[in-house]
């Protein structure tokens, strides 16, 4: 299946000042698949090592003799390792911390080799180990599949082309089909195994079985790898996310996790889930001024799952609720829709997501995005109801901005706002830039 990150991987391959590549991402987002696919398509051969399953790997890194290490990798894999022709992949590298530290020496002593590493809990390892070779690696993150990647997997190239070309007339003409595909994406999500199963069999129950297996693997990771003192709290936060998102005000409430809970009791638990790549924190800003980071309030935040399909499985949502009619868009206070929008926007380069509330929390903007050198306030509507009291009030105070509304309505422009269909969320910021003549910094 096509993954857009292949473009970044090919750019990395050709860089003159290339460093070893660290591919980060949650369990089962397809890191191993895309690295092997990249190796087969862009190199003469691939030397793949799984640091978890091949027990001799740890012995290779007793010192940092890079020539010896490469010889050992060649012996283990049976592949010649030739500069420019071989991609060396070290998978599950977090299981051998010395291998992670060795990337510094690959960078300094053997930059002519193409070394790529990945790991299911690499984010945890990067957070925990001080031996990480800061400044000596290039880093990319692989996320669950976006809606346009989902369309390609379903052999809907023409629909994806319409989105990429921002052909609003064709989108309106094919609106029913796009909404049906979006409904399917809400259910299936972007985990590659679930997408592949759906694309090949169409079996919605097999999709849910796969999703439940992934959730079970996440719970197993928590029990095996999280600090013992945090396991119960991590599970409470994790299991409570659907209920948090189903509230009118989606701000994360510690008291909803456990009566009397305080932020300091759960900060480590939340950070573990973030480091594992399976939840996404969107912090509040109290002022919409560049750079948004200066006005971030980390004490107020929303917590999303990294995949909308897994959100449905975690919430035990019956397939009929998501695949039949419009209930998935209208119910649950837009929980699935906000999670979907987040999933499409967070993959974009130079894009930083926050949300906004005023001092007394009477006005909320679903997302406030720093896109390049511009700020875009975004309202997410799960229905065709286009009333925007909070957004209108916000824009009166910030008339220099152009707002974006993502809804079930078609494309339309106003002086201060552009409405774009939900199924075009992935190209919405680019579309706003087109309308205003381009954002500075892009």
């Amino acid at each position: 299946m096509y993954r857009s990150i292949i473009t970044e991987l090919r750019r990395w391959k050709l860089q003159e000042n290339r460093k070893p590549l660290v591919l980060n991402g949650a369990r089962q987002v397809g890191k191993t698949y895309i690295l092997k696919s990249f190796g087969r398509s862009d190199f003469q051969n691939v030397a793949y090592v799984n640091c978890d399953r091949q027990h001799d790997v740890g012995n290779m890194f007793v010192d940092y003799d890079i020539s010896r290490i490469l010889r050992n990798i060649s012996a283990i894999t049976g592949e010649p390792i030739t500069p420019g022709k071989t991609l060396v992949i070290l998978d599950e590298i977090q299981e051998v911390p010395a291998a992670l530290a060795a990337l510094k020496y690959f960078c300094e002593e053997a930059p002519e080799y193409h070394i790529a590493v990945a790991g299911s809990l690499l984010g945890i390892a990067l957070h925990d180990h001080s031996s990480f070779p800061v400044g000596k690696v290039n880093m990319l993150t692989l996320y669950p599949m976006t809606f346009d990647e989902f369309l390609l997997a379903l052999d809907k190239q023409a629909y994806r082309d319409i989105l990429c070309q921002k052909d609003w007339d064709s989108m309106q003409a094919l609106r029913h089909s796009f909404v049906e595909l979006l409904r399917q994406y809400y259910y299936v999500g972007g985990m590659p195994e679930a997408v592949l199963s759906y694309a090949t069999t169409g079996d919605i129950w097999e999709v849910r079985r796969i999703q439940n297996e992934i959730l079970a693997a996440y719970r197993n990771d928590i029990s095996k790898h999280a600090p013992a003192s945090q396991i119960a709290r991590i599970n409470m936060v994790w299991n409570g996310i659907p209920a948090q998102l189903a509230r009118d005000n989606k701000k994360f409430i510690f008291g909803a996790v456990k009566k009397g809970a305080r932020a300091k009791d759960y900060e480590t638990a939340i950070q573990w889930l973030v480091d594992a790549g399976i939840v996404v924190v969107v912090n509040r800003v109290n002022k919409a001024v560049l750079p948004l980071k200066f006005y971030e309030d980390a004490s107020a935040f929303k917590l999303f799952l990294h995949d909308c399909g897994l959100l449905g499985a975690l919430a035990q949502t019956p397939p009929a609720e998501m695949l039949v009619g419009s209930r998935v868009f209208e119910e649950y206070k837009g929980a699935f829709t906000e999670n979907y929008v987040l999933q499409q926007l967070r993959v974009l380069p130079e894009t930083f997501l926050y949300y906004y509330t005023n001092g007394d929390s009477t006005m909320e903007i679903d997302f406030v995005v720093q896109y390049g050198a511009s700020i875009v306030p975004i309202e997410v509507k799960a229905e065709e109801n286009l009333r925007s009291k909070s957004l209108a009030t916000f824009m009166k105070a910030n008339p220099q901005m152009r707002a974006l509304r993502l809804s079930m309505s078609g494309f339309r422009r106003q002086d201060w706002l552009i409405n774009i269909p939900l199924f075009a969320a992935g190209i919405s910021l680019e579309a706003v830039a087109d309308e205003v003549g381009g954002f500075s910094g892009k």
Side-chain angles (χ1 to χ4, degrees), residues 5-23 35 38-39 42-43 86-89 103 110-117 136-140:
I5 199 173
I6 193 69
T7 301
E8 295 298 316
L9 292 172
R10 287 170 176 160
R11 186 177 294 121
W12 167 77
K13 177 190 176 183
L14 298 176
Q15 286 177 357
E16 291 185 6
N17 58 345
R18 181 190 61 254
K19 303 172 184 178
L21 176 68
V22 174
L23 183 61
L35 286 178
F38 171 52
D42 289 65
F43 293 84
T86 305
L87 177 64
V88 177
I89 302 173
L103 297 180
E112 67 274 20
Y113 291 94
H114 289 80
I115 311 294
V117 308
K136 302 296 181 179
V137 296
N138 299 129
M139 297 188 70
L140 290 174

Side-chain angles (χ1 to χ4, degrees), residues 188-238:
V188 178
M191 302 304 286
E193 185 181 359
V195 174
L196 180 60
S197 174
Y198 185 69
T200 54
T201 71
D203 187 339
I204 61 172
W205 296 106
E206 178 64 11
V207 168
R208 180 53 59 87
R209 184 192 68 78
I210 291 169
Q211 291 169 336
N212 285 332
E213 282 189 351
I214 294 172
L215 294 176
Y218 289 168
R219 294 186 182 99
N220 187 53
D221 283 341
I222 293 170
S223 64
K224 286 178 60 177
H225 300 287
S229 62
Q230 295 295 325
I231 290 175
R233 290 171 181 170
I234 291 171
N235 280 314
M236 282 191 286
V237 171
W238 172 250

Side-chain angles (χ1 to χ4, degrees), residues 267-295:
E267 289 173 347
T268 301
I270 292 172
Q271 188 61 53
W272 195 96
L273 292 168
V274 171
D275 290 340
I278 58 180
V279 304
V280 184
V281 172
V282 176
N283 287 326
R284 186 178 82 96
V285 289
N286 51 42
K287 193 174 183 180
V289 177
L290 286 172
L292 289 176
K293 188 71 174 178
F294 280 2
Y295 304 97

